[in-house]
Amino acid sequence: KIKENIEVFEELPVVSLEGKRVELDLERLLGARTIREIDAELTCKTFDYPTVDAYYADSSCNQRLKDVEIPLLMVSAIDDPLIPDSCIPYEEARRNDNLMLVTTRHGGHLGWVDEAASARGDGRRWCSDWIERTVLNHLDAALHLA
């Protein structure tokens, strides 16, 4: 979508949080093949991070999970193309009794498509209520245990 909306970057200044104009290399941005390359050229410059790894470390919830003091259900798909299995906080979940980590083999990023959603035939194949049903079932079970 960057190529389709390149005029936004050409016509409007990109400004950092401090209000400083950010100079982007549009050729590099348009040539990006990965999210990491986009983050290096756009996100790091806009939010003043020295490296992509510094941005990822700061934006990750992993360092904050030790401080969770109320029950938290975390659901993650192993095939998530943006947050791979290697980034799932297994150890952090084991160390904090308030964390419940559920992983699924499939689900991608921000959604789980199920057969019911695919079979609807209403053009909303991507839209699934699996995650909502899973969270509600978890809450129902937790309330009955209390």
Side-chain angles (χ1 to χ4, degrees), residues 122-143:
D122 62 1
R124 293 177 42 212
R125 181 169 190 246
W126 56 269
C127 186
S128 170
D129 64 353
W130 179 87
I131 190 67
E132 289 87 356
R133 285 183 286 121
T134 299
V135 170
L136 289 174
N137 286 339
H138 172 77
L139 289 173
D140 186 52
L143 289 172

Side-chain angles (χ1 to χ4, degrees), residues 4-43:
E4 295 172 18
N5 297 292
I6 193 63
E7 67 275 355
V8 170
F9 297 102
E10 292 172 335
E11 296 171 11
L12 300 174
V14 176
V15 182
S16 72
L17 289 176
E18 293 81 33
K20 295 184 286 186
R21 185 181 177 99
V22 175
E23 295 299 325
L24 299 176
D25 181 336
L26 293 181
E27 281 187 34
R28 190 169 172 203
L29 186 59
L30 288 173
R33 299 252 186 239
T34 66
I35 295 294
R36 186 177 183 87
E37 291 172 356
I38 293 170
D39 284 337
E41 186 56 39
L42 181 62
T43 310

Side-chain angles (χ1 to χ4, degrees), residues 23-96:
E23 295 299 325
L24 299 176
D25 181 336
L26 293 181
E27 281 187 34
R28 190 169 172 203
L29 186 59
L30 288 173
R33 299 252 186 239
T34 66
I35 295 294
R36 186 177 183 87
E37 291 172 356
I38 293 170
D39 284 337
E41 186 56 39
L42 181 62
T43 310
C44 288
K45 290 181 178 182
T46 304
F47 295 101
D48 202 26
Y49 282 97
T51 65
V52 176
D53 290 330
Y55 163 62
Y56 289 166
D58 192 46
S59 62
S60 170
C61 68
N62 290 2
Q63 71 266 18
R64 297 171 187 90
L65 292 176
K66 68 184 181 321
D67 301 322
V68 173
E69 296 179 354
I70 59 172
L72 173 65
L73 173 65
M74 302 180 296
V75 183
S76 189
I78 292 172
D79 71 347
D80 186 325
L82 299 182
I83 304 172
D85 183 47
S86 61
C87 294
I88 296 174
Y90 294 105
E91 284 306 312
E92 291 82 351
R94 284 187 189 99
R95 283 187 234 131
N96 186 335

